[in-house]
Amino acid sequence: MNINLKKLNFSRRTFIKNFLALAGVSSIGTALTSCSRKSSKNIKIGLMLPYTGTYAKLGKAIENGFKMALAKNGELDPESIDFYQVDDESNPAKAVDNANKLIVKDKVDILIGTVHSGVVMGMLKIARNSDALMLIPNAGAGAATGSQCAKNIFRTSFTNWQPTYPLGKILMEKGHKKAIFITWKYAAGSEARAGFEEGYIKFGGELINTLYVPFPNVEFQALLTKISAVKPDAVVCFFAGGGAVKFVKDYAASGLKDKIPLFGSGFLTEGVLPAQGAAAEGLMTTLHYADSLQNETNKSFRTKYYEKYGKLADVYAVQGYDTGLVLSQSLNKVDGDFKDRSGMIRAIEGMSVDSPRGQWTMSKAHNPIQNIYLRQVINNDNKVLKTAWDALEDPATGCGLI
Ligand code: PHB
């Protein structure tokens, strides 16, 4: 056995010391690679996440949630992990080089990443032909669990299709028959739009126009003027992180908020509510998570996350946490032998995860089958109104595993 997975009773002091050592590694930020201790017995985990730019906070929340799950009940000895870390800057042009560094040069056993759909496509090019196990804690690019799916690649988050597909039905229930979609021009935006349009048409709606802004630009004024001229019944969007703060504020400041209701995939209001303030109040979104979910796992997760990091947990923290759960549950199944990749893969296939988002299972294409919730911002909090879709599974078109 190469790694001590037994419930180690290491003293709180030792644990905190080790944990802080790991946290120190992570604070290097843009440094390309860093590693704690080197031992051939240690499991090597590569974290390829954005630590700068519009998605910086998303990357940090994923890392926090991930480390919190690894430390849970002292199941995984922090001394037996070597972390390697890359700031991917949400830059697709650097993705292949960054993934190469972690997989080929550093020879990580597990590659965790990333947030941005364009960057994950570059990572797939390297990871699909490697021996590393790759866990995607956010990026929703359909191809990762569709045409480019692979034995050693799993996603613990969502496909871009999943959160917006149920939104068309919600708009039609509210009598909004003609909508405009606005988003960044890259895979996450166009796939979120496609998911929305598919569901909307099915329930009788019409998407009359799509407006694109280059990623990560936040110059929305000209497009808001267009929306106000066309006067659709509703506006639907995909934005996240820093860009979501700016868009929600601009939408309210332009006076549109009181005239044309704004909907979105729930990333719009995740981790950014304090910055959006009153501009976000009342917004309705669909997502696989909501702060106010009343299951015991969510309540205890939110309390512990706040105690540990002094921040409110969001969907990114949940996805990082679930990534850590998936990894530790699979390691438990192979008795800690992380070189037994096929044993770990078998353990993850069909795995059921007791997540703060509610129980979810891993599909044959390696993507969560999960509930999508309708949420509304009430008193600066993402409150659940209802389950918009039960156990939604991505169609995984083109995946050879199904
Ligand atoms: C993506 O690029 O796939 C992406 C980024 C941020 C999100 C969701 C999806 O919040």
Side-chain angles (χ1 to χ4, degrees), residues 22-270:
L22 298 176
V25 167
S26 64
S27 69
I28 285 174
T30 55
L32 262 188
T33 298
S34 40
C35 158
S36 48
R37 286 156 293 272
K38 297 236 163 137
S39 151
S40 59
K41 287 194 179 152
N42 282 2
I43 184 168
K44 294 180 174 186
I45 300 181
L47 292 174
M48 183 164 156
L49 291 166
Y51 293 105
T52 50
T54 200
Y55 287 161
K57 288 200 170 127
L58 286 54
K60 193 62 198 165
I62 288 170
E63 182 190 325
N64 287 347
F66 178 68
K67 287 185 172 166
M68 188 171 141
L70 293 191
K72 190 175 163 243
N73 306 326
E75 274 167 357
L76 193 62
D77 177 4
E79 278 200 80
S80 61
I81 309 171
D82 289 340
F83 277 108
Y84 292 75
Q85 200 161 23
V86 169
D87 174 12
D88 69 35
E89 305 165 43
S90 294
N91 185 349
K94 296 186 181 171
V96 168
D97 281 354
N98 284 334
N100 236 319
K101 180 153 186 33
L102 290 171
I103 290 182
V104 180
K105 180 171 170 284
D106 299 331
K107 298 189 174 39
V108 297
D109 298 290
I110 315 291
L111 177 62
I112 311 289
T114 186
V115 168
H116 185 286
S117 277
V119 177
V120 94
M121 293 309 291
M123 296 175 77
L124 291 179
K125 285 190 187 144
I126 308 301
R128 289 178 87 235
N129 302 312
S130 82
D131 174 47
L133 185 65
M134 176 170 163
L135 302 176
I136 306 171
N138 186 74
T145 51
S147 63
Q148 301 300 306
C149 75
K151 264 292 210 217
N152 61 330
I153 295 166
F154 292 87
R155 175 155 40 207
T156 54
S157 50
F158 56 90
T159 62
N160 292 318
W161 176 91
Q162 276 179 311
T164 46
Y165 177 72
L167 199 46
K169 181 167 166 253
I170 302 291
L171 260 73
M172 290 306 287
E173 283 170 5
K174 299 190 179 304
H176 305 316
K177 296 185 184 132
K178 287 183 193 295
I180 286 185
F181 202 97
I182 177 165
T183 186
W184 277 313
K185 192 163 183 54
Y186 83 101
S190 46
E191 292 179 5
R193 182 205 62 80
F196 168 72
E197 187 174 20
E198 187 185 331
Y200 199 32
I201 289 175
K202 199 164 171 177
F203 288 89
E206 187 192 350
L207 182 62
I208 52 177
N209 203 351
T210 303
L211 306 174
Y212 286 112
V213 194
F215 177 86
N217 283 11
V218 289
E219 296 312 317
F220 302 118
Q221 214 43 60
L223 299 181
L224 293 177
T225 306
K226 232 181 209 173
I227 290 172
S228 126
V230 176
K231 297 190 181 52
D233 297 340
V235 172
V236 184
C237 69
F238 163 81
F239 290 108
V245 175
K246 176 79 165 39
F247 182 74
V248 164
K249 286 189 148 183
D250 283 7
Y251 198 82
S254 70
L256 279 170
K257 186 168 179 244
D258 300 326
K259 295 187 196 127
I260 306 173
L262 175 64
F263 295 81
S265 58
F267 306 110
L268 187 67
T269 57
E270 284 297 310

